[in-house]
Amino acid sequence: MTPQAGTAGKLDVAVRQLRWEADGVVSLDLADPTGKPLPSWEPGAHVDLVLPNGLERQYSLCGPPGERAYYRIGVRRERASRGGSEYVHAFLRPGQRVSIKGPRNNFAFNPAKSYVFVAGGIGITPILPMVRAAEARGTDWQLYFGGRTSASMPFLDELRGYGERVRCHSSDTTGRIPLTELERPVAAGAKVYACGPASLLSDLDTAAANWPPEALRLERFKAPQAAPAENKPIEVECAASKKTVSVGADESIVGALEKAGIRPVTSCRSGICGSCETKVLDGVPDHRDGILSASEQAAGDRMFVCVSRARTPRLVLDL
């Protein structure tokens, strides 16, 4: 997986259309106000939505793959969240202007013999373009889609057009997604792409212990909670800036860099958006993000400086 770089600055767009997709879920079509095509993108990509109140949140693109006349995103209203989804639902309406950054892709859709897609709730958004792309390629696929209730599961009408390839499981009627059913297609060489709540992804991680390496690719809402670790002070040499920055045990790498006048691009600051990806020139990163696979972490050639640290006393970064 090679993350797709996003655009450097903000792009002003207008809300072209707003639709209710399920209980508590709306989709927004975002377009250039002058009609210009938006930057190209591929399945798995997301944009950073910059709201008029200054909040910035990441949302997967869920429209037709490669569509550049508009971007479609899906937003579930989370009243206990930090306010981004609440603002979208309460205040955004067609014609209003917002800004976006990106697109960026940390969940690249790579070729495979066949696919199994697993989505929980709003986690269907990055999966939708993958389903369309697999169908367009003529590649065998199936989708397991779960939610609390059928009424809470967005884009069901759209998915029903694929017939028996889509298997819907609502907790109040048919129960949870039967993950044991995935063993046979994975053994036959299928790749599994999944997005959803932490409990679903944790169960998939457990199931994947006996699968071939790299069979499972996950898109997380939050970075996984690692076991508590003792942070030690480290030194970060910024090769391009010709500065060496001391990072205290009680601060993040990006925080120390900013205090030293070096400002990497950041957004989520929680290890899920990928905006602060940085090339590692020397040293061993301590990866704490929710993006890189085990083999990508082992390569040690890049890291996300908002949450990750170092296993060596010193890191040399391309900053």
Side-chain angles (χ1 to χ4, degrees), residues 213-225:
E214 306 297 320
L216 177 64
R217 295 296 304 172
L218 302 177
E219 174 93 314
R220 301 180 186 273
F221 298 144
K222 297 179 181 179
Q225 294 296 314

Side-chain angles (χ1 to χ4, degrees), residues 124-146:
I124 191 63
T125 51
I127 299 298
L128 271 177
M130 296 183 180
V131 166
R132 295 193 194 96
E135 182 74 3
R137 295 173 188 172
T139 306
D140 184 46
W141 63 270
Q142 55 187 300
L143 165 66
Y144 292 83
F145 184 23

Side-chain angles (χ1 to χ4, degrees), residues 117-166:
F117 302 113
V118 181
I122 197 64
I124 191 63
T125 51
I127 299 298
L128 271 177
M130 296 183 180
V131 166
R132 295 193 194 96
E135 182 74 3
R137 295 173 188 172
T139 306
D140 184 46
W141 63 270
Q142 55 187 300
L143 165 66
Y144 292 83
F145 184 23
R148 293 188 300 272
T149 65
S150 293
S152 70
M153 297 166 64
F155 307 109
L156 275 182
D157 289 343
E158 188 172 329
L159 289 167
R160 287 189 179 109
Y162 294 109
E164 294 183 356
R165 289 192 178 192
V166 177

Side-chain angles (χ1 to χ4, degrees), residues 98-114:
V98 292
S99 296
I100 58 173
K101 297 177 183 177
R104 186 179 298 110
N105 199 336
N106 305 312
F107 194 38
F109 185 47
N110 296 321
K113 289 172 53 179
S114 61

Side-chain angles (χ1 to χ4, degrees), residues 243-258:
K243 287 185 178 181
T244 298
V245 178
S246 297
V247 182
D250 60 345
E251 63 182 340
S252 65
I253 291 179
V254 74
L257 292 173
E258 289 174 338

Side-chain angles (χ1 to χ4, degrees), residues 229 231 234-236 253 276-289 292-318:
N231 291 339
I234 57 174
E235 295 289 321
V236 174
I253 291 179
C276 66
E277 180 180 336
T278 303
K279 185 176 181 180
V280 178
L281 302 177
D282 194 23
V284 181
D286 179 5
H287 297 287
R288 302 183 185 182
D289 62 271
L292 298 178
S293 68
S295 63
E296 290 165 342
Q297 289 186 356
D301 58 352
R302 52 196 166 105
M303 67 183 295
F304 300 95
V305 293
C306 65
V307 293
S308 297
R309 294 187 66 83
R311 297 186 182 276
T312 48
R314 186 181 183 87
L315 284 175
V316 181
L317 303 180
D318 187 19

Side-chain angles (χ1 to χ4, degrees), residues 12-319:
D12 291 331
V13 294
V15 179
R16 190 175 81 172
Q17 189 173 31
L18 183 148
R19 294 180 299 273
W20 285 99
E21 303 291 355
D23 288 351
V25 179
V26 295
S27 66
L28 297 113
D29 290 352
L30 307 172
D32 186 285
T34 65
K36 294 179 181 178
L38 297 170
S40 60
W41 63 281
E42 296 179 355
H46 71 269
V47 293
D48 299 350
L49 180 66
V50 185
L51 297 168
N53 63 357
L55 291 176
E56 189 170 323
R57 299 291 183 266
Q58 291 75 44
Y59 295 104
S60 297
L61 297 180
C62 59
E67 175 64 66
R68 298 180 64 190
Y70 67 94
Y71 290 158
R72 183 170 74 169
I73 61 173
V75 182
R76 180 178 294 283
R77 192 172 203 167
E78 301 286 356
R79 297 185 185 276
S81 72
R82 295 175 295 165
S85 67
E86 184 69 18
Y87 187 97
V88 169
H89 279 252
F91 299 110
L92 285 191
R93 296 296 181 268
Q96 287 183 269
R97 301 287 185 93
V98 292
S99 296
I100 58 173
K101 297 177 183 177
R104 186 179 298 110
N105 199 336
N106 305 312
F107 194 38
F109 185 47
N110 296 321
K113 289 172 53 179
S114 61
Y115 299 99
V116 176
F117 302 113
V118 181
I122 197 64
I124 191 63
T125 51
I127 299 298
L128 271 177
M130 296 183 180
V131 166
R132 295 193 194 96
E135 182 74 3
R137 295 173 188 172
T139 306
D140 184 46
W141 63 270
Q142 55 187 300
L143 165 66
Y144 292 83
F145 184 23
R148 293 188 300 272
T149 65
S150 293
S152 70
M153 297 166 64
F155 307 109
L156 275 182
D157 289 343
E158 188 172 329
L159 289 167
R160 287 189 179 109
Y162 294 109
E164 294 183 356
R165 289 192 178 192
V166 177
R167 304 181 185 184
C168 295
H169 298 269
S170 56
S171 297
D172 63 334
T173 56
T174 58
R176 301 186 69 189
I177 296 171
L179 298 183
T180 55
E181 291 186 12
L182 277 60
E183 293 176 6
R184 182 174 296 177
V186 171
K191 297 289 187 184
V192 180
Y193 282 80
C195 181
S199 58
L200 172 63
L201 301 189
S202 177
D203 289 346
L204 275 167
D205 263 333
T206 300
N210 298 319
W211 295 353
E214 306 297 320
L216 177 64
R217 295 296 304 172
L218 302 177
E219 174 93 314
R220 301 180 186 273
F221 298 144
K222 297 179 181 179
Q225 294 296 314
E230 180 184 357
N231 291 339
K232 296 181 179 180
I234 57 174
E235 295 289 321
V236 174
E237 180 183 338
C238 302
S241 303
K242 294 182 171 55
K243 287 185 178 181
T244 298
V245 178
S246 297
V247 182
D250 60 345
E251 63 182 340
S252 65
I253 291 179
V254 74
L257 292 173
E258 289 174 338
K259 286 195 294 186
I262 301 169
R263 299 190 176 278
V265 176
T266 63
S267 181
C268 74
R269 296 192 177 231
S270 60
I272 58 171
C273 78
S275 62
C276 66
E277 180 180 336
T278 303
K279 185 176 181 180
V280 178
L281 302 177
D282 194 23
V284 181
D286 179 5
H287 297 287
R288 302 183 185 182
D289 62 271
I291 298 172
L292 298 178
S293 68
S295 63
E296 290 165 342
Q297 289 186 356
D301 58 352
R302 52 196 166 105
M303 67 183 295
F304 300 95
V305 293
C306 65
V307 293
S308 297
R309 294 187 66 83
R311 297 186 182 276
T312 48
R314 186 181 183 87
L315 284 175
V316 181
L317 303 180
D318 187 19
L319 286 171

